[in-house]
Coordinates of all heavy atoms in Angstrom, one line a residue:
Chain A
R128 N -10.4 -6.5 -7.0 CA -10.2 -7.9 -6.3 C -8.7 -8.1 -5.9 O -8.4 -8.5 -5.0 CB -10.5 -9.0 -7.4 CG -12.1 -9.4 -7.4 CD -12.3 -10.6 -8.0 NE -11.8 -10.8 -9.5 CZ -12.5 -10.4 -10.5 NH1 -13.6 -9.8 -10.3 NH2 -11.9 -10.4 -11.7
E129 N -7.8 -7.7 -6.8 CA -6.5 -7.7 -6.5 C -6.0 -6.9 -5.4 O -5.1 -7.2 -4.7 CB -5.6 -7.3 -7.8 CG -5.6 -8.4 -8.9 CD -5.1 -7.9 -10.3 OE1 -4.7 -6.7 -10.3 OE2 -5.1 -8.7 -11.1
H130 N -6.7 -5.7 -5.1 CA -6.5 -5.0 -4.0 C -7.3 -5.2 -2.9 O -7.2 -4.5 -1.9 CB -6.5 -3.5 -4.5 CG -5.3 -3.1 -5.3 ND1 -4.2 -2.4 -4.9 CD2 -5.1 -3.2 -6.7 CE1 -3.3 -2.2 -5.8 NE2 -3.9 -2.7 -6.9
D131 N -8.1 -6.2 -3.0 CA -8.9 -6.8 -1.8 C -9.8 -5.6 -1.3 O -9.8 -5.3 -0.1 CB -8.1 -7.3 -0.8 CG -8.8 -8.2 0.3 OD1 -9.9 -8.6 -0.1 OD2 -8.2 -8.5 1.3
L132 N -10.4 -5.0 -2.2 CA -11.3 -3.9 -1.8 C -12.7 -4.2 -1.6 O -13.4 -4.8 -2.7 CB -11.1 -2.9 -3.0 CG -11.2 -1.3 -2.6 CD1 -10.1 -1.0 -1.6 CD2 -11.0 -0.4 -3.8
G133 N -13.3 -4.0 -0.6 CA -14.7 -4.3 -0.3 C -15.6 -3.2 -1.1 O -15.2 -2.3 -1.7
P134 N -16.9 -3.4 -0.9 CA -17.8 -2.3 -1.6 C -17.6 -1.0 -1.0 O -17.2 -0.9 0.1 CB -19.2 -3.0 -1.3 CG -19.0 -3.8 -0.1 CD -17.6 -4.3 -0.1
D135 N -17.9 0.0 -1.8 CA -17.8 1.4 -1.3 C -18.8 1.6 -0.2 O -19.9 1.0 -0.4 CB -18.1 2.4 -2.5 CG -17.9 3.8 -2.0 OD1 -16.8 4.3 -2.2 OD2 -18.9 4.4 -1.6
A136 N -18.3 2.3 0.8 CA -19.3 2.4 2.0 C -20.6 3.0 1.7 O -21.6 2.9 2.4 CB -18.5 3.2 3.2
L137 N -20.6 3.9 0.6 CA -21.8 4.5 0.2 C -22.6 3.8 -1.0 O -23.5 4.3 -1.5 CB -21.7 5.9 -0.2 CG -21.3 6.9 1.0 CD1 -21.2 8.3 0.5 CD2 -22.4 6.9 2.0
D138 N -22.1 2.6 -1.4 CA -22.6 1.9 -2.5 C -24.1 1.5 -2.1 O -24.4 1.1 -0.9 CB -21.9 0.7 -2.9 CG -22.3 0.2 -4.2 OD1 -23.3 -0.7 -4.2 OD2 -21.6 0.4 -5.1
E139 N -25.0 1.5 -3.1 CA -26.4 1.3 -2.7 C -26.6 -0.2 -2.3 O -27.7 -0.6 -1.7 CB -27.3 1.6 -3.9 CG -26.8 0.9 -5.2 CD -27.7 1.3 -6.5 OE1 -28.3 2.4 -6.3 OE2 -27.9 0.6 -7.3
S140 N -25.6 -1.0 -2.8 CA -25.7 -2.4 -2.3 C -25.5 -2.5 -0.8 O -25.9 -3.6 -0.3 CB -24.7 -3.4 -3.0 OG -23.3 -3.1 -2.5
V141 N -25.0 -1.6 -0.3 CA -24.7 -1.8 1.3 C -25.9 -1.1 2.1 O -26.0 0.0 2.3 CB -23.5 -1.0 1.7 CG1 -23.1 -1.2 3.2 CG2 -22.1 -1.5 0.9
D142 N -26.8 -2.0 2.3 CA -28.0 -1.5 3.1 C -27.9 -2.2 4.6 O -26.8 -2.7 4.9 CB -29.4 -2.1 2.5 CG -29.3 -3.5 2.2 OD1 -28.5 -4.3 2.9 OD2 -30.1 -4.1 1.5
T143 N -28.9 -1.9 5.4 CA -28.6 -2.3 6.8 C -28.4 -3.7 6.9 O -27.5 -4.2 7.7 CB -30.0 -2.1 7.6 OG1 -30.4 -0.9 7.3 CG2 -29.9 -2.2 9.0
R144 N -28.9 -4.4 6.1 CA -28.7 -6.0 6.2 C -27.3 -6.4 5.9 O -26.5 -7.1 6.5 CB -29.7 -6.8 5.3 CG -29.9 -8.2 5.8 CD -31.0 -8.9 5.0 NE -30.3 -9.8 4.1 CZ -30.9 -10.4 3.0 NH1 -32.0 -9.9 2.5 NH2 -30.3 -11.2 2.3

Side-chain angles (χ1 to χ4, degrees):
Chain A
R128 276 196 303 277
E129 283 168 1
H130 288 265
D131 200 14
L132 212 57
D135 187 87
L137 288 182
D138 192 278
E139 56 185 21
S140 71
V141 182
D142 54 16
T143 311
R144 202 176 113 207

